[in-house]
């Protein structure tokens, strides 16, 4: 019997936690209670990027983390993090669970020594701010937006005409409260969990980034398991993934209603987001095509979504 | 001759020179970030990462410099109850343990940087391979090990006690006081 | 039981190494390494922890506050604040020593460090007290005791460290189910929460000072307050008084984050020191940079080994075990507060404040959560309790400095400081038992 250590980046109560709990539940069930998984929430076992290295070396069993923290170790995964690559939950499911996803799992295994066995879906990073409603890029002009230290996100905001402020997560809430920055973007579940409604008023339903958070297992730990246990781990990952999609559907509508009730004003981007999409894809994509493995990789992804190749 | 002394003085305090430079630069960078954000509504995307990594380098070189000054805090009151020799011997042994720990850590960090680290891993906004940034660990801990040996060489073989800068400051204050009583 | 044997190895080798005279950072690192090897875990984890424990943006506040403090000394900002406090001494019994406490409060509002406060105030106030016929030991003792106000009144380096340690730790779901949601910890919140406790500790010290001075017959000057002198001190100290307003005002009006406030403090000091007071020399700037270097290197190396040590505790769920055994003794909140404060006072006698906060926060905060204690309130009590350690032997940084200034023995000062330690402890208990005293101000200001 073994208790696997699972590093979880976020605090309890979010999609990462939900994926981890379900994984543990199914793993116990499939192994007849022989193995289980203990979740260490909130980065207790190190930063998300550290956990990828730890798992690769074999000093950590599992980790659940945001996809952009996998990209530095396996660049092709970056295709999923380009702005407007994923435009709906269905797109996300098609990509992660279809042939593109299989390819990404293989690449990550080859590049980073970790195996992706499940996905948490956290939804689109919606834009919130405390100043005024925003529906067009022009209305963003006077809003100081906080972003994580992430080149693609910084470049996307640049494409929309503003310089976003990179800021550590630990400083963000206070900075919003004090007005050092006016806005930020994060999935609804995070906005709700972090009580951003206390310091933000306007929400714009942007869809430029869909947060997906893979569950990875150390390949060396995985190979140490018996064939049945390996199967159990994979099945538990699949079950947890399915659960995560359902959790997102249930939560998002509930949270939107509650945030509205608390006084937040939610708006959709003007003109079906066309201006936002055009600016982002025309200015950001070309810059990252090489780093994600070239035009073919990109077109492969677009084809699997039934969209026009470039 | 004179040139050699200058060189030795620089090498002897190399961490101090590096650290003062790093500290000044990251403090100025952070100030520029505040100014450019508050006065020009323009955020520089690379300052946070660059200053954070400069800060890490500053810390580990600074730790080595602190070792050179014999400034790492120890609990020493228990030695007052024992013959003075005991304290000297015990501290020497514990420094030997420190040297062993550092050597092992240098091996671990060398192994990590050159064999275990993912090759693709680059810093998020600057795009510098993390490998080079992590290189501070084997470098600084090697330097620190030399400093520990240096302090003990002076102390045990040459008989020059390198006092930590805090008690030096306190002594300076006492010297300036006319009604100096020998008490500490 | 794996847990009990690992606790024995981890803490046994830690204490053993400390007693051998190994630096604290070495004792932490080596005991963690031994435990890793015992658990058959790969110690290569140390490497990433070394890098990421230190590589965090908010942590840059530490060298920045140290540098700001050193520069303020050299720029003559400290001296003017102390003169201002001194001008209030007047005809009251124990007036000049009360002015020393006041000076520590003023200086505390620009400095984040206890020993720096003691040094800045003591340098001027101890000789001033002696000149008015005060006993040297008494003069040193009150300054060493009031020096702790430097870390209770914001800004405060220990609060930054507590904030960083606590931000990553959320309340366990069981505690939330029992007591409802806990507020989030943030450094500005801790800063603002420190105001009232700073006043409380200062008040207890002032009361004790009045009683002692009455007994000793230390009267004030016979010619009353000199309003000329006060006005003059105000005028001369204008830019010094402005310093805390710039630092704290900037944070609370949203111009900058707490980390950035330390940076602004540096440039404000440079500006005042070079252009207004015209006292800041290039040489003292270099000296300040150098002091900041080894002080930061020393403390942050401890942060690395303390993080590894803490990781072991977390992975082996030792904080939970400690909490359980503590709760099995009693579930009376006041008794547990008493146990925690007594423990912190004991630790504060031997250990450097920042190291103690780094090591103990991961162990004690979960206990606080499981009792429904507010994390911000808890942080303030931890900082206040450990602050008393500055004035208690054997390791009492404020004592060393006061002793250096006055040329009195550590033993004598610690003896004279006992009544003040007692007064501060009373203050800490008041702060601990009445959480609203700490929390009303942040609440009032909407935090
Ligand atoms: Na302070
Ligand atoms: Na002490």
């Amino acid at each position: 019997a073994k208790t696997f250590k699972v590093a979880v980046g976020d605090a309890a109560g979010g999609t990462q936690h939900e994926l981890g709990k379900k994984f543990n539940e199914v793993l116990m069930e499939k192994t007849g209670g022989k193995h289980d998984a203990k979740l260490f929430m909130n980065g207790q076992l190190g930063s998300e990027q550290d956990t990828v290295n730890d798992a690769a070396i074999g000093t950590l069993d599992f980790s659940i983390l945001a996809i952009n923290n996998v990209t530095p170790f396996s660049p092709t995964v970056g295709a999923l993090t380009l702005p407007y690559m994923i435009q709906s939950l269905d797109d996300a499911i098609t990509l992660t669970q279809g042939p593109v996803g299989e390819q990404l799992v293989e690449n990550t295994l080859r590049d980073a020594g970790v195996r992706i066995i499940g996905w948490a879906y956290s939804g689109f990073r919606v834009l919130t701010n405390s100043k005024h409603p925003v529906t067009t890029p022009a209305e963003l002009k006077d809003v100081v937006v906080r972003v994580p230290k992430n080149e693609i996100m910084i470049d996307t905001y640049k494409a929309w005409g503003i310089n976003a402020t990179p800021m550590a997560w630990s400083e963000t809430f206070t900075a919003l409260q004090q007005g050092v920055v006016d806005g930020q973007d994060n999935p609804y579940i995070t906005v709700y969990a972090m009580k951003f409604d206390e310091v933000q008023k306007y929400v714009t339903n942007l869809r430029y980034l869909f947060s997906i958070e893979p569950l990875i297992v150390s390949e060396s730990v995985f190979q140490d398991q018996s064939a049945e246990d390996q199967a159990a781990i994979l099945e538990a990952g699949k079950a947890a993934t399915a659960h995560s999609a359902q959790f997102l559907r249930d939560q998002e509508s509930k949270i939107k209603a509650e945030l509205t009730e608390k006084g937040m004003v939610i708006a959709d981007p003007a003109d079906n987001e066309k201006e936002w999409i055009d600016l982002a894809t025309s200015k950001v994509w070309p810059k990252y095509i090489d780093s994600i493995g070239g035009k073919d990789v990109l077109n492969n992804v677009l084809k699997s979504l039934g969209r026009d190749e470039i | 001759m004179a040139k050699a002394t200058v060189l030795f003085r620089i090498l002897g305090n190399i961490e101090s020179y590096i650290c003062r430079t790093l500290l000044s630069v990251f403090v100025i960078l952070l100030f520029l970030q505040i100014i450019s954000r508050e006065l020009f509504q323009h955020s520089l995307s690379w300052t946070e990462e660059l200053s954070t990594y400069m800060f890490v380098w500053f810390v580990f070189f600074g730790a080595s410099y602190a070792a050179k000054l014999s400034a790492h805090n120890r609990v020493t009151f228990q030695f007052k109850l024992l013959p003075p020799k005991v304290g000297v011997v015990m501290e020497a042994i514990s420094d030997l343990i420190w040297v062993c720990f550092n050597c092992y850590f240098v091996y671990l960090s060398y192994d990590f940087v050159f064999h275990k680290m993912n090759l693709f891993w680059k810093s998020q906004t600057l795009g510098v391979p993390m490998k080079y940034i992590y290189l501070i660990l084997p470098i600084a801990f090697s330097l620190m090990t030399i400093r520990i040996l240096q302090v003990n060489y002076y102390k045990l073989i040459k008989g020059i006690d390198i006092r930590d800068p805090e008690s030096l400051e306190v002594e300076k204050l006492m010297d300036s006081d006319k009604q100096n009583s020998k008490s500490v | 039981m794996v847990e009990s044997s690992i606790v024995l190895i981890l803490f046994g080798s830690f204490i053993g190494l400390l007693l051998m005279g190994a630096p604290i950072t070495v004792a932490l690192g080596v005991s963690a390494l031994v435990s890793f090897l015992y658990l058959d875990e790969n110690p290569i984890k140390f490497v990433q922890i070394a890098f990421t424990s230190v590589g965090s943006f908010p942590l840059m506040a530490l060298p920045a506050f140290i540098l700001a403090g050193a520069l303020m000394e050299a720029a003559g900002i400290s001296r003017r604040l102390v003169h201002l406090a001194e001008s209030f001494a007047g005809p009251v019994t124990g007036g000049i020593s009360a002015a020393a406490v006041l000076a520590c409060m003023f200086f505390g509002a620009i400095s984040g460090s206890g020993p720096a406060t003691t040094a800045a105030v003591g340098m001027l106030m101890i000789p001033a007290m002696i000149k008015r016929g005060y006993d040297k030991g008494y003069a040193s003792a009150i300054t060493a005791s009031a020096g702790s106000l430097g870390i209770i009144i914001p800004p405060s380096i220990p609060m930054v460290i507590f904030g960083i340690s606590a931000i990553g730790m959320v309340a366990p779901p069981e505690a939330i189910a029992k007591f409802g949601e806990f507020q989030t910890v943030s450094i500005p919140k801790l800063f603002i929460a420190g105001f009232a406790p700073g006043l409380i500790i200062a008040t207890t010290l002032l009361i004790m000072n009045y009683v002692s001075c009455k007994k000793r017959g230390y009267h004030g000057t016979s010619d009353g307050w000199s309003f000329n002198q006060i006005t003059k001190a105000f005028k001369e100290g204008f830019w010094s008084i402005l310093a805390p307003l710039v630092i704290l005002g900037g944070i609370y009006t949203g111009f900058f984050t707490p980390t950035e406030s330390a940076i602004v403090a540096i440039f404000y000091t440079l500006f005042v020191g070079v252009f207004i007071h015209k006292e800041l020399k290039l040489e003292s700037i270099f000296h300040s940079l150098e002091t900041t270097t080894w002080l930061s290197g020393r403390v942050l190396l401890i942060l690395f080994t303390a993080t590894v040590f803490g990781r072991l505790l977390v992975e082996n769920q030792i904080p939970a075990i400690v909490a359980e055994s503590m709760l099995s003794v009693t579930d009376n909140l006041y008794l547990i507060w008493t146990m925690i404060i007594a423990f912190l006072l004991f630790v504060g006698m031997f250990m450097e404040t920042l190291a103690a906060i780094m090591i103990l926060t991961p162990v004690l905060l979960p206990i606080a959560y499981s009792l429904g204690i507010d994390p911000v309130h808890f942080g303030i009590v931890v900082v206040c309790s450990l602050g008393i350690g500055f004035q208690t032997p054997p390791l009492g940084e404020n004592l060393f400095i006061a002793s250096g200034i006055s040329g009195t023995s550590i033993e004598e000062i610690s003896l004279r400081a006992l009544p003040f330690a007692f007064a501060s402890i009373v203050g800490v208990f008041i702060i601990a038992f009445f959480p609203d005293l700490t929390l009303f101000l942040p609440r009032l200001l909407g935090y």
Side-chain angles (χ1 to χ4, degrees):
Chain A
K2 187 169 158 92
T3 297
F4 292 108
K5 283 179 187 154
V6 186
V8 186
D10 286 349
T15 28
Q16 292 190 355
H17 188 206
E18 204 58 36
L19 182 81
K21 278 194 300 192
K22 190 73 184 177
F23 174 74
N24 174 43
E25 193 186 306
V26 180
L27 181 69
M28 275 170 55
E29 189 186 302
K30 297 278 176 197
T31 58
K34 198 171 73 171
H35 297 322
D36 65 344
K38 161 98 187 133
L39 307 180
F40 292 88
M41 304 302 301
N42 219 3
Q44 277 180 315
L45 299 188
S47 78
E48 293 195 355
Q49 291 199 11
D50 285 1
T51 63
V52 181
N53 244 321
D54 288 341
I57 300 170
T59 56
L60 174 70
D61 305 322
F62 292 86
S63 176
I64 305 173
L65 71 171
I67 188 138
N68 55 296
N69 288 319
V70 180
T71 324
F73 303 93
S74 182
T76 56
V77 177
L80 300 186
T81 65
L82 288 180
Y84 294 107
M85 181 56 79
I86 297 172
Q87 298 187 3
S88 65
L89 174 58
D90 289 337
D91 281 358
I93 291 173
T94 310
L95 286 184
T96 51
Q97 297 179 27
V100 171
E102 272 164 40
Q103 188 62 49
L104 289 179
V105 171
E106 258 171 56
N107 292 352
T108 320
L109 195 53
R110 183 195 61 209
D111 298 340
V114 297
R115 185 186 286 267
I116 299 174
I117 58 160
W119 305 86
Y121 305 106
S122 295
F124 291 108
R125 295 181 72 105
V126 295
L127 173 74
T128 70
N129 85 89
S130 54
K131 283 189 124 169
H132 51 69
V134 170
T135 58
T136 63
E139 286 165 342
L140 202 57
K141 276 248 147 55
D142 60 338
V143 183
V144 183
V145 179
R146 174 268 170 186
V147 288
K149 271 199 306 212
N150 177 303
E151 269 302 73
I152 294 185
M153 294 171 71
I154 293 168
D155 282 337
T156 307
Y157 277 96
K158 243 180 223 150
W160 293 332
I162 68 160
N163 272 292
T165 307
M167 185 179 276
W169 176 238
S170 53
E171 301 218 306
T172 301
F173 188 88
T174 335
L176 288 167
Q177 186 169 45
Q178 293 160 355
V180 177
V181 292
D182 309 312
Q184 59 86 43
D185 66 53
N186 258 303
Y188 271 112
I189 292 176
T190 312
V191 172
Y192 181 74
M194 291 301 298
K195 301 182 191 150
F196 277 153
D197 56 280
E198 290 173 8
V199 290
Q200 301 275 275
K201 187 163 171 67
Y202 304 99
V203 185
T204 311
N205 286 325
L206 291 186
R207 290 176 300 156
Y208 85 109
L209 272 187
F210 187 95
S211 298
I212 30 182
E213 321 195 32
L215 164 62
I216 59 171
V217 59
S218 160
E219 182 60 8
S220 58
V221 170
F222 186 73
Q223 291 306 336
D224 285 344
Q225 309 305 314
S226 68
E228 299 110 65
D229 288 347
Q230 285 184 352
I233 289 173
L234 293 176
E235 279 173 51
K238 280 217 174 85
T241 307
H243 172 73
S244 176
Q246 194 51 46
F247 180 77
L248 178 66
R249 286 190 196 97
D250 297 345
Q251 288 293 308
E252 252 191 359
S253 46
K254 213 168 79 188
I255 288 175
K256 270 193 216 175
E258 241 179 272
L259 290 178
T260 312
E261 205 173 292
K262 285 183 174 171
M264 287 193 106
V265 180
I266 300 177
D268 283 325
D271 195 16
N272 213 7
E273 216 166 338
K274 186 170 180 314
E275 195 187 352
W276 301 83
I277 298 179
D278 289 348
L279 286 170
T281 50
S282 67
K283 290 189 181 163
V284 183
W285 283 19
K287 194 176 160 188
Y288 291 93
I289 284 184
D290 285 340
S291 74
I292 61 162
K295 216 169 174 168
D296 293 345
V297 175
L298 188 66
N299 278 331
N300 193 21
V301 176
L302 288 171
K303 204 166 70 190
S304 72
L305 290 171
R307 268 191 248 154
D308 294 339
E309 297 177 26
I310 59 165
Chain B
M1 187 67 193
K3 268 184 194 159
T5 354
V6 171
L7 184 70
F8 268 123
R9 195 189 305 149
I10 291 176
L11 275 182
N13 292 292
I14 185 82
E15 300 98 325
S16 175
Y17 292 104
I18 297 174
C19 284
R20 280 184 280 179
T21 312
L22 287 170
L23 176 61
S24 315
V25 174
F26 75 68
V27 162
I28 291 170
L29 271 182
L30 291 177
F31 190 62
L32 286 180
Q33 166 75 316
I34 303 169
I35 295 288
S36 103
R37 185 189 62 220
E38 293 300 325
L39 299 184
F40 304 105
Q41 280 79 44
H42 181 101
S43 280
L44 307 165
S45 61
W46 46 272
T47 47
E48 186 192 328
E49 191 173 272
L50 182 60
S51 50
T52 308
Y53 291 148
M54 290 179 84
F55 168 62
V56 174
W57 280 60
F58 161 79
V59 167
F60 287 108
F61 276 127
S64 176
Y65 189 56
K68 189 212 163 211
L69 300 178
S70 191
H72 288 281
N73 308 93
R74 304 164 191 262
V75 177
T76 52
F77 71 93
Q78 69 280 22
F79 297 143
K80 284 189 183 160
L81 313 169
L82 301 164
K85 263 249 166 87
V86 180
V88 175
V89 172
M90 293 289 250
E91 275 189 23
I93 297 174
S94 63
D95 276 3
L96 190 65
I97 296 176
W98 191 3
V99 167
C100 295
F101 174 82
N102 276 4
C103 289
Y104 186 51
F105 186 80
V106 169
Y107 160 75
L108 285 176
S109 52
Y110 179 87
D111 187 38
F112 184 82
V113 170
F114 289 99
H115 305 127
K116 299 277 162 61
M117 241 173 137
N118 185 297
L119 293 171
F120 295 102
W121 196 13
K122 292 200 177 92
S123 77
Q124 298 239 25
T125 48
L126 298 169
V128 182
M130 290 302 284
K131 197 177 168 151
Y132 298 119
I133 300 170
Y134 266 72
L135 216 53
I136 182 62
L137 295 174
I139 295 173
F141 277 82
S142 303
L143 207 53
M144 199 191 304
T145 311
I146 296 172
R147 295 308 191 188
I148 302 163
L149 293 172
Q150 189 185 354
V151 167
N152 277 286
Y153 170 75
Y154 278 119
K155 205 160 72 178
L156 300 175
I157 297 176
K158 288 213 156 173
I160 306 168
D161 197 8
I162 297 185
R163 301 285 305 276
D164 69 276
E166 253 162 13
S167 47
L168 286 183
E169 293 268 322
V170 168
E171 264 168 32
K172 220 165 67 192
L173 291 173
M174 293 189 64
D175 286 341
S176 65
D177 195 284
K178 277 185 187 128
Q179 302 132 317
N180 185 359
S181 70
K182 285 190 176 177
S183 49
V184 175
Chain C
M1 278 289 280
V2 182
E3 282 90 357
S4 59
S5 65
I6 195 67
V7 167
L8 213 63
I9 289 175
L10 189 63
F11 285 93
S13 51
F14 173 61
I15 292 166
L17 283 160
L18 272 190
L19 290 178
M20 270 182 71
I24 296 169
T25 181
V26 177
L28 285 165
V30 171
S31 56
L33 181 61
V34 170
S35 309
F36 260 74
L37 296 174
Y38 170 80
L39 289 170
D40 204 19
E41 281 197 44
N42 191 342
I44 202 154
K45 270 188 196 171
F46 276 56
V47 182
Q48 274 196 5
I49 296 177
F51 196 89
T52 34
S53 62
V54 172
S56 106
F57 185 83
L59 212 52
M60 277 191 268
L62 184 127
F65 273 128
I66 294 177
L67 181 57
L71 289 172
M72 280 171 185
E73 183 70 61
I77 289 186
S78 326
R79 202 182 63 238
R80 286 172 175 79
L81 279 180
V82 176
H83 277 313
L84 177 64
E86 197 183 352
S87 71
F88 288 120
V92 196
T93 298
I96 184 82
S97 43
V101 177
L102 197 64
C104 286
M105 289 173 66
F106 286 176
F107 193 73
I110 56 171
S111 157
S113 138
T117 306
T118 311
V121 173
M123 210 87 82
L124 300 161
M125 290 306 276
I126 292 177
M129 282 186 264
I130 295 172
K131 214 169 77 190
R132 292 205 191 178
Y134 277 53
D135 172 59
K136 276 202 274 180
Y138 184 84
S140 313
I142 186 143
T143 317
S145 309
S148 314
L149 293 171
I151 61 163
I152 304 172
I153 291 175
S156 158
I157 297 175
M159 283 183 202
V160 171
I161 299 293
F162 177 83
I164 292 170
S165 312
I167 282 167
M169 301 176 57
V170 279
E174 309 86 62
I176 295 177
K178 201 163 158 196
F179 301 102
E181 283 288 342
F182 289 84
Q183 66 168 325
T184 49
V185 177
S186 77
I187 292 164
K189 223 189 269 180
L190 284 163
F191 277 9
I192 211 152
F195 266 114
L199 292 180
I200 292 170
I201 302 264
T203 309
T204 60
L205 287 175
L206 286 173
I207 293 172
M208 185 53 82
N209 173 57
Y210 183 78
V211 173
S212 310
C213 285
K214 192 138 208 183
K215 216 165 63 191
R216 289 166 169 266
Y218 293 158
H219 299 297
T221 49
S222 46
D223 40 343
W225 271 295
S226 156
F227 288 98
N228 273 342
Q229 214 180 339
I230 294 179
T231 324
K232 194 169 153 252
F234 253 115
K235 266 189 197 146
E236 280 177 357
F238 176 77
W239 293 91
S240 307
I241 303 166
L242 213 54
L245 291 179
V246 169
I247 298 171
L248 297 173
I251 299 178
Y252 296 107
T253 50
F255 279 109
F256 34 81
T257 66
T259 314
E260 293 172 341
S261 79
I263 303 288
V264 173
I266 291 171
F267 284 88
Y268 178 80
T269 309
L270 286 174
F271 170 74
V272 173
V274 173
F275 296 109
I276 310 229
H277 294 167
K278 302 194 172 78
E279 288 176 27
L280 197 55
K281 304 268 163 5
L282 204 58
E283 192 195 343
S284 42
I285 296 181
F286 282 138
H287 184 71
S288 305
L289 288 171
E290 162 146 335
T291 312
T292 310
T293 294
W294 63 260
L295 271 174
S296 315
R298 170 171 95 180
V299 168
L300 293 169
L301 191 68
I302 298 178
L303 178 63
F304 151 45
T305 48
T307 308
V308 187
F309 196 90
R311 185 72 62 81
L312 264 170
L313 296 179
V314 167
E315 284 188 22
N316 292 287
Q317 305 185 25
I318 290 166
I321 298 169
V322 175
E324 243 170 62
S325 55
M326 220 165 168
L327 293 174
S328 69
V329 178
T330 173
D331 58 356
N332 180 309
L333 188 61
Y334 297 104
L335 267 178
I336 289 187
W337 263 128
T338 309
M339 276 155 65
I340 291 178
I341 292 172
F343 176 66
L344 288 170
L345 291 172
F346 176 74
V347 170
M349 287 173 69
F350 303 99
M351 198 175 260
E352 208 266 332
T353 319
L354 299 182
I357 293 177
M358 291 168 199
I359 300 164
L360 293 178
T361 305
V363 181
L364 294 180
L365 190 57
I367 300 178
Y369 276 130
S370 65
L371 287 163
I373 296 171
D374 181 277
V376 171
H377 176 219
F378 184 73
I380 297 295
V381 176
V382 168
V383 170
C384 292
S385 310
L386 289 173
I388 295 174
F390 281 134
Q391 72 197 62
T392 56
L395 178 71
E397 291 94 327
N398 292 2
L399 284 182
F400 297 158
I401 288 169
S403 153
I405 294 171
S406 66
T408 325
S409 72
I410 303 275
E411 288 79 7
E412 193 187 337
I413 303 177
S414 5
L415 204 67
R416 300 265 175 277
L418 269 181
F420 296 114
F422 171 76
S424 305
I425 292 170
V426 170
V428 170
F429 273 99
I430 294 174
I431 295 163
F433 287 175
F434 303 98
D436 283 337
L437 291 176
T438 304
L439 297 174
F440 83 93
L441 202 56
R443 213 180 289 137
L444 195 73
L445 293 169
Y447 280 86

